[in-house]
Amino acid sequence: MDTQPSKRQRLDHVSLENDHQGTSTSSSAITTTPNSDLKEPLLMHRNGNLAEPKSNISRSSRYKATTPLDGSVPADLFKLQLDELLGRLTPKYETKMAKADGAIHQLRTTIEAIPDQKALPASEAQKVFEKFSNICIPFPRSVALGSKVSLAYSKPTNISVVGSYTRRTSVLREGKVTIDLAMTMPSSLFHAKDYRDHRYFHKRAYYLACIAAGIQKAQVPALDISFAYQDDNLLQPVIIAQPRLDGNPKIHSHSSWKIRILLAAGDDIFPLETTLPTKSCIKDTAAEGDSPTPRYNATLRSECCSSSYLKELHRATVRSSAFQNACMLGAIWLRQRGLGSSMSTGGFGQFEWAALISILMRDGGRAGRPILSTGYSSYQLFKATLQFLSSTDLISSPMVIQSPNFKLPQSKNPMLFDGSRGMNVLYKMSSWSYQLLQNEARNSLKALNDPLADHFRILFINKVEEPLKRFDYNFRIPLGKIATKISKFDDAVSDLAEILHQKFSYGLGNRATLVYPQIPNTSVWPVDSRASHSNDRTGTSVDLLLDPEHCLRTVDRGPSIEDKNAAADFRKFWGDKAELRRFKDGTIMESLIWDTSESQQSVIGLIINHILRRHFSVTDQESSGADGEVLAKLLPQYGLSQSYVLGPFSTVKSSFESLCKSIRAMEGLPLQIRQIFAASAELRYASLYAPVAGKQTHPAKAVECLIQFEGSTRWPDDLFAVQRTKIAFLLKIADCIGKDDSISAVRLRLEKSKRKLFEQSYLDLKTPDGIIFRLQIYHEHELSMLEKALNGRIPCPSPKEEIALAISTHKRKFIQRPAHTQAVTALSTRFPILSPTIRLLKKWRDSHLLSPHLPDELLELLAIRTFIHPYPWSTPGSLLSAFLRTLHFLATWDWQSEPLILDFNSELTAPEIQSIRIRFDAWRKLDPGMNRVAMFVASNLDREGIAWTDRRPAKMIASRLTNLARAACELVTQDRGELALKPEALFVPSMGEYDFLIHLKPLQDYLKKTSSFKNLQVEAAGRDLFNAICDPRRLFVDELQELYGDDIVFFYNESTAITVIAGLWNPQTEGPRKWKVGLHYSTMPLLATEEDGGGAEEEQQVIINKAAVLHDIARLGGDMITKIDQK
């Protein structure tokens, strides 16, 4: 098996944002190009994460330099990583862009040679153009061409390469360097009123078509041209020029560059006041009430002030030497979160980031002072920008720069109004994309403030944009169902998104912290056809971020009956679902009741389906969704409302409390009981199956509890005498509690072991509900006695190795497990989704036959990490997101070189964290082969880090776990739409990798057999108690492990009745070895051949006789085994 959990592959391309504002780009960019364009090769993981730059710093020094020192200046390693990443992402231009430079020169010459076209009425100009050209003019769709509009073409007043390419800071977009070739249209083509009713954009489309026709007619060698929309804005078509296909469709995909031909206008063709956000520039809209058209106005203004922004960014570069690197850091941060300048990626990309920093370095503060200092380093600028984004609400409090007297209208979208240019810099952003941007900024800042977080990886390496991990709930609806609600002028999907956001934000209330309708990106289309809008006609998806505290609520309180207007609106929105109720506090209010028991849907699913049916006429079958409920249905005893998340454990918790009361009420015990500890997964809401009253549908398991008596000097000083004293105490408890009606059966048991120090006694108690509790006694001085025995201070016949192992076992069983149970119980109450996440993770482990290799506590810690250290995401609000993020961590965690440290209560100090990391480093030096400790998992409860990972999982199992998690993540990424239909695919084991499979009969086939001999029969109560917790197949597996554990690795699922036992031969056992007396497995001689060079005088070598070993296993299993399949 693969033992390397972090294999990397060379990155073919990295698509960082190349976002533009008209013809403008930010002052800096980052790129990597294929075929050795980088100064050093850049790596990327298969899951999309960038490869972390390597450092020559030693591991111990790395730990000392992990956290920023004062919150503003990064520590040594962090700064080195930043510098190295920026350096490695700087491309080489001289060797790879020669063909692109030649194509630019050809295009410039061709465009300058295009003849002028005199002004003609629009209809006539269109007929003349189509007569001599097969180019389809990309007019704005759904907008009639005005009869008074005249169209013409004149040579551009300026043709120049703009943006990042001229500054040698280009970035890759979809594997290509995007080169912007800007054409400034002559002002003489436009009239003073052309800003109204799409006239400017009609003339712009005709001008662009003339350029396309000229390029096509000139037959520029080795170039193909097509149309596309700039930043998904349907008012701004552009020309894309790429290397010619020549019949080979792979040329476009493998070319390292493409050219965008952009259009711009002069700064003074339209007065600034005519395109302010408060103005209406579309006649039809004005006729309905003179409504402003802010996005239309901002699009037009962006074409007029593109050169102004280029100068602005250049001045920022001059003012601050760190400006370019800050922009590069922002570009990486945005890219890893799927954010960009196009509307489909949120409307905030590299240009908006650079423009924001530039503006804040000259204005935005009190009395016109700058918010950001030009003396900041690149990291300080980056972090300060994140703080501004996270703490400033530009929706409720719009910001006006250099125009103090201008009053912005109330808007649902963010407003950063640049008064000197009359433009809202964030005009492409919606309210939900701005909320997502703020959420990402907050998550990043929280990560920076967490001393346990890997800041560099979270900010710049991890890929965050995958919807099923990023959001808690996803669903898709068809567009055709609400076509009548779509505006005539706006983009259909954008308008649909606004409607969806409004309806679902109101309907979900505080259950959702973010409603994010996705806007599909626009595609490239041929110049001889109309733009295809098939993407937005098929439908759109909506993603939700849920509030874990409120999302499972089943009762909603609406407005009071006294507020008639609000009550009427409430009933209008919810229809028959709304009902008037009197609550216990006497108030009479409109209310909603969501019953999840009948529909088998979550509360969120019920609300969404109701809104879709009522407001969009979309049935449950027409919409598709994926949230935690698709996986929750795989969990036993799991409901979809808040009362059912922890509800399955109410029976066992109640029985445990009753048992504690009964034990404390007992009389006649030699010592008083100090405390009773819960030490079982069932009592911390973490077992896959919760014990319930009545007949169990799964293998029963005893619920472990610990009893601690008050201190006394009468306890013996001998370790073995302590065990006998414990037996006496348990016998006394059994005698006292046997008289209690709350206990139906009692049995004292003793764990037999070859090592005397490991023999432990316990008392099994069965309640009338059928739940079995297992009591053990904790003696606080036993640990000190073991430590003294290890140091030779008290006599003990056991060897030192056995005593050391007994110490670690005692700590784990009597100290760490009760503390772990208490912590997980508190966290499960704090995070309602934690319990089902742990249970689902255990089901996934068991489904892949890893039950004997991964302790329950280890999986619980892995799931807890998703909630207390959720970065780069926020705390999960659904079972689906929590489970997939946990798998993502397992798939990306480099456990060979990184410890996992958890802090449940934020109590670990920096020196303590440093001490834990040094201890991990010491373990790797002491055990470089990771034969004892493969995974190092520490917490504030376990500073040593090996309580739950000592000797298991083995390195091979840890690698297996990593590979399974990677396979699951790849399945989710590649098959998002099928997850709702086939959630079981994540839990299907692969049996072809094992050397043999042992198939067992069902338990009931041989458990019912009873002996006919009186002396072999036991009392009914005792037999029932024994059968309830003792599975013969589990005893069979334990015996196999005892006999062949050194030679065979066994795999099985112990959460259900064991039906299959898989096995892998130990590679060290399979090889030949010299024969000797006492080999504990069957062997056969290995005949030496002449090629081996063996001689008669050499010692005879033997190999394991696999067939004989399997035969012995079959004989040992007897009637339990049906067959054995061998590879």
Side-chain angles (χ1 to χ4, degrees), residues 361-396:
M361 283 198 303
R362 61 175 171 83
D363 210 326
R366 294 182 179 180
R369 296 178 180 176
I371 293 179
L372 303 180
S373 171
T374 56
Y376 281 174
S377 66
S378 59
Y379 175 77
Q380 289 173 315
L381 284 175
F382 170 79
K383 185 175 181 180
T385 305
L386 290 183
Q387 291 173 335
F388 175 83
L389 291 173
S390 65
S391 60
T392 306
D393 188 355
L394 296 176
I395 297 178
S396 59

XYZ file of all heavy atoms in Angstrom, residues 361-396:
276
model
N -5.402 53.688 0.567
C -4.101 54.294 0.866
C -4.116 55.803 0.680
O -3.158 56.479 1.068
C -3.013 53.674 -0.021
C -2.571 52.293 0.424
S -0.968 51.780 -0.281
C -1.305 51.915 -2.022
N -5.182 56.331 0.097
C -5.258 57.785 -0.065
C -6.494 58.403 0.568
O -6.596 59.635 0.660
C -5.233 58.151 -1.546
C -6.380 57.602 -2.380
C -6.326 58.123 -3.802
N -7.274 57.474 -4.686
C -8.564 57.808 -4.798
N -9.047 58.782 -4.036
N -9.363 57.162 -5.626
N -7.442 57.585 1.029
C -8.687 58.150 1.551
C -9.409 57.075 2.353
O -8.903 55.983 2.561
C -9.570 58.643 0.403
C -10.439 59.826 0.815
O -10.847 59.857 1.988
O -10.697 60.704 -0.026
N -10.623 57.413 2.802
C -11.495 56.463 3.466
C -11.575 56.608 4.962
O -12.505 56.088 5.588
N -10.615 57.299 5.583
C -10.626 57.447 7.031
C -11.300 58.725 7.472
O -11.952 59.430 6.692
N -11.145 59.043 8.730
C -11.735 60.260 9.273
C -11.029 61.481 8.701
O -9.818 61.484 8.517
C -11.630 60.261 10.795
C -12.462 59.176 11.469
C -12.342 59.261 12.983
N -13.144 58.237 13.628
C -13.228 58.069 14.947
N -12.533 58.887 15.755
N -13.980 57.113 15.453
N -11.816 62.499 8.420
C -11.297 63.764 7.889
C -10.491 63.541 6.606
O -9.520 64.251 6.343
C -10.443 64.470 8.950
N -10.901 62.563 5.819
C -10.235 62.330 4.547
C -8.865 61.698 4.653
O -8.127 61.659 3.652
N -8.518 61.171 5.813
C -7.215 60.540 5.981
C -7.246 59.114 5.433
O -8.282 58.465 5.409
C -6.825 60.519 7.456
C -6.635 61.902 8.052
C -6.307 61.810 9.530
N -6.117 63.134 10.130
C -5.892 63.331 11.408
N -5.817 62.304 12.241
N -5.739 64.570 11.872
N -6.097 58.622 5.022
C -6.061 57.251 4.485
C -6.229 56.216 5.588
O -5.805 56.425 6.738
C -4.690 57.161 3.825
C -3.854 58.183 4.523
C -4.792 59.310 4.883
N -6.846 55.108 5.223
C -7.007 54.000 6.165
C -5.749 53.151 6.223
O -5.354 52.680 7.297
C -8.231 53.149 5.772
C -9.522 53.958 5.949
C -8.293 51.873 6.586
C -10.770 53.207 5.554
N -5.116 52.971 5.078
C -3.906 52.155 4.997
C -2.693 53.049 4.830
O -2.741 54.040 4.091
C -3.992 51.170 3.823
C -5.180 50.208 3.811
C -5.124 49.310 2.586
C -5.219 49.365 5.081
N -1.618 52.674 5.481
C -0.382 53.439 5.380
C 0.460 52.929 4.216
O 0.543 51.725 3.967
C 0.417 53.325 6.679
O 1.706 53.879 6.534
N 1.069 53.850 3.515
C 1.957 53.464 2.417
C 3.235 52.810 2.924
O 3.972 52.219 2.144
C 2.319 54.687 1.570
O 2.897 55.690 2.423
C 1.083 55.257 0.887
N 3.489 52.900 4.218
C 4.673 52.278 4.793
C 4.461 50.834 5.211
O 5.395 50.183 5.678
N 3.239 50.322 5.065
C 2.973 48.943 5.429
C 3.747 47.986 4.532
O 3.998 48.267 3.361
C 1.484 48.632 5.296
C 0.622 49.121 6.436
C -0.767 49.019 6.378
C 1.173 49.681 7.578
C -1.579 49.448 7.404
C 0.385 50.126 8.618
C -0.994 50.009 8.527
O -1.770 50.447 9.556
N 4.075 46.836 5.099
C 4.631 45.759 4.283
C 3.509 45.101 3.493
O 2.326 45.371 3.714
C 5.314 44.715 5.176
O 4.360 44.050 5.989
N 3.861 44.208 2.583
C 2.840 43.546 1.767
C 1.904 42.716 2.632
O 0.685 42.700 2.407
C 3.502 42.667 0.702
O 4.331 41.684 1.309
N 2.457 42.050 3.650
C 1.608 41.256 4.530
C 0.693 42.144 5.365
O -0.477 41.819 5.585
C 2.474 40.389 5.434
C 1.682 39.620 6.466
C 0.968 38.483 6.113
C 1.622 40.048 7.784
C 0.236 37.786 7.046
C 0.893 39.359 8.732
C 0.196 38.219 8.355
O -0.539 37.537 9.286
N 1.205 43.267 5.826
C 0.372 44.184 6.601
C -0.752 44.764 5.746
O -1.886 44.911 6.210
C 1.237 45.297 7.190
C 2.156 44.828 8.312
C 3.109 45.917 8.763
O 3.709 46.610 7.935
N 3.272 46.064 10.065
N -0.446 45.119 4.511
C -1.498 45.596 3.603
C -2.536 44.505 3.375
O -3.748 44.774 3.368
C -0.891 46.026 2.273
C -0.156 47.362 2.230
C 0.480 47.571 0.860
C -1.103 48.520 2.554
N -2.076 43.289 3.184
C -2.994 42.175 2.944
C -3.913 41.964 4.146
O -5.137 41.879 4.001
C -2.188 40.908 2.649
C -3.003 39.653 2.621
C -3.756 39.329 1.505
C -3.016 38.776 3.707
C -4.512 38.169 1.471
C -3.760 37.626 3.685
C -4.512 37.321 2.566
N -3.339 41.899 5.335
C -4.154 41.641 6.523
C -5.079 42.824 6.835
O -6.236 42.625 7.224
C -3.247 41.355 7.721
C -4.026 40.955 8.970
C -3.114 40.556 10.107
C -3.937 40.152 11.326
N -3.086 39.756 12.468
N -4.584 44.042 6.654
C -5.429 45.212 6.911
C -6.606 45.256 5.946
O -7.715 45.670 6.317
C -4.607 46.488 6.801
N -6.405 44.834 4.716
C -7.505 44.785 3.757
C -8.532 43.752 4.172
O -9.746 43.981 4.063
C -6.964 44.473 2.352
O -5.950 45.422 2.013
C -8.072 44.541 1.316
N -8.072 42.601 4.655
C -9.011 41.597 5.169
C -9.810 42.144 6.348
O -11.026 41.909 6.461
C -8.258 40.334 5.592
C -7.648 39.459 4.498
C -7.016 38.223 5.122
C -8.681 39.045 3.468
N -9.148 42.883 7.228
C -9.845 43.457 8.374
C -10.891 44.467 7.918
O -11.992 44.527 8.477
C -8.836 44.106 9.321
C -7.942 43.103 10.041
C -6.843 43.771 10.838
O -6.427 44.886 10.533
N -6.334 43.085 11.858
N -10.557 45.261 6.908
C -11.527 46.216 6.386
C -12.737 45.490 5.793
O -13.888 45.869 6.055
C -10.867 47.103 5.323
C -11.819 48.048 4.639
C -12.153 49.252 5.212
C -12.389 47.721 3.411
C -13.033 50.128 4.588
C -13.273 48.576 2.778
C -13.598 49.780 3.374
N -12.500 44.466 5.015
C -13.596 43.735 4.386
C -14.474 43.046 5.416
O -15.703 42.999 5.269
C -13.043 42.705 3.395
C -12.397 43.251 2.125
C -11.745 42.132 1.336
C -13.426 43.967 1.257
N -13.869 42.509 6.462
C -14.640 41.754 7.441
C -15.430 42.638 8.389
O -16.489 42.244 8.872
C -13.703 40.841 8.239
O -12.787 41.611 9.002
N -14.937 43.825 8.651
C -15.557 44.678 9.678
C -16.407 45.805 9.112
O -17.162 46.436 9.862
C -14.463 45.280 10.569
O -13.559 46.079 9.806
N -16.315 46.074 7.822
C -17.045 47.190 7.227
C -18.221 46.664 6.427
O -18.039 45.847 5.514
C -16.131 48.020 6.306
O -14.969 48.414 7.042
C -16.865 49.246 5.796
N -19.411 47.120 6.768
C -20.611 46.725 6.039
C -20.935 47.802 5.016
O -21.514 48.847 5.349
C -21.780 46.531 7.001
C -23.004 45.933 6.320
O -22.966 45.761 5.080
O -23.987 45.633 7.012
N -20.547 47.574 3.790
C -20.757 48.553 2.732
C -22.155 48.486 2.143
O -22.464 49.212 1.196
C -19.723 48.338 1.616
C -18.268 48.564 2.023
C -17.336 48.240 0.872
C -18.052 49.996 2.500
N -23.019 47.630 2.684
C -24.423 47.608 2.266
C -25.237 48.557 3.132
O -25.944 49.434 2.628
C -24.989 46.177 2.335
C -24.246 45.265 1.363
C -26.486 46.178 2.021
C -24.716 43.825 1.394
N -25.156 48.397 4.449
C -25.894 49.281 5.345
C -25.216 50.641 5.497
O -25.884 51.642 5.764
C -26.054 48.623 6.713
O -24.787 48.340 7.282
